[in-house]
Amino acid sequence: MTGKFNKSSSMNVSVSQQVKPITLQGSATIVVQFFKYAVNSILYQRGVYASDTFDRCQQYGITLFTTKDKEINEYFESVLPNLENWLAHGELRGVSLVITSALTGEHLEKWDFEIHTVPTDGDTTITGKKREYGKKELAEIQKGIRNVMRQITATVTFLPLLDVRCAFDLRIYVNKEAEVMRGWVEQSDSNIVNPERVELRSFSTSVHRVQASVTYKADDP
């Protein structure tokens, strides 16, 4: 499933207090914030858009870059609240960022973020607003996120150069029970010719665990 790209002012979720104990809603907020910075970092590091269209910022104790493009920010702001809602209800299974050739539509890279949510009691309705599911220091969570972000930055040392004009799309994977808003469409999986896959780091909020990986088109032998 994918949201049509319609390129908001950037949604900036501030998490300044320790999340202990943590609810599904609190964890969802942290994970969605991570997605926003991760996608921005990938677009910057992979040169999908010019470097001068990004602003430098400090997050998780490191320097990151976020887009200044109004249409892209509007796209993020239309998508991220949906992700947070699905996360808070334990319905989101994963998010993929697909980078394609703007000229041919060929899939060049796919960045996967698999989501694993802790199981809940059978008698409990997941609202994420009251029930506590786990305990973890915010500093420990941010350390895990920081390690993932640093690894995303380091991928430029081994990923092939994207020497064509590129575009991107977000693919969202939810449970069958999840309510999907009008305007979202189902799409087939993103196949990459001659693929190579690299597992990246993961992090956990003690409620959600996010496992990252990247699949790219390797050079022809």
Side-chain angles (χ1 to χ4, degrees), residues 60-72:
Y60 310 120
I62 55 177
T63 299
L64 299 174
F65 295 87
T66 57
T67 181
K68 296 185 289 186
D69 188 286
K70 180 180 178 181
E71 293 185 359
I72 298 177

Side-chain angles (χ1 to χ4, degrees), residues 160-174:
L161 177 67
L162 296 176
D163 55 358
V164 297
R165 188 163 60 89
C166 294
F168 78 93
D169 192 15
L170 289 180
R171 305 290 175 92
I172 315 299
Y173 306 93
V174 296

Side-chain angles (χ1 to χ4, degrees), residues 10 14 29-30 43 53 57 67 74 81 115 123 127 129 134 160 173 188:
S10 178
S14 176
T29 300
I30 294 173
L43 297 179
T53 64
C57 68
T67 181
E74 287 174 352
I115 309 295
D123 296 332
T127 64
K129 297 184 181 300
Y173 306 93
S188 58

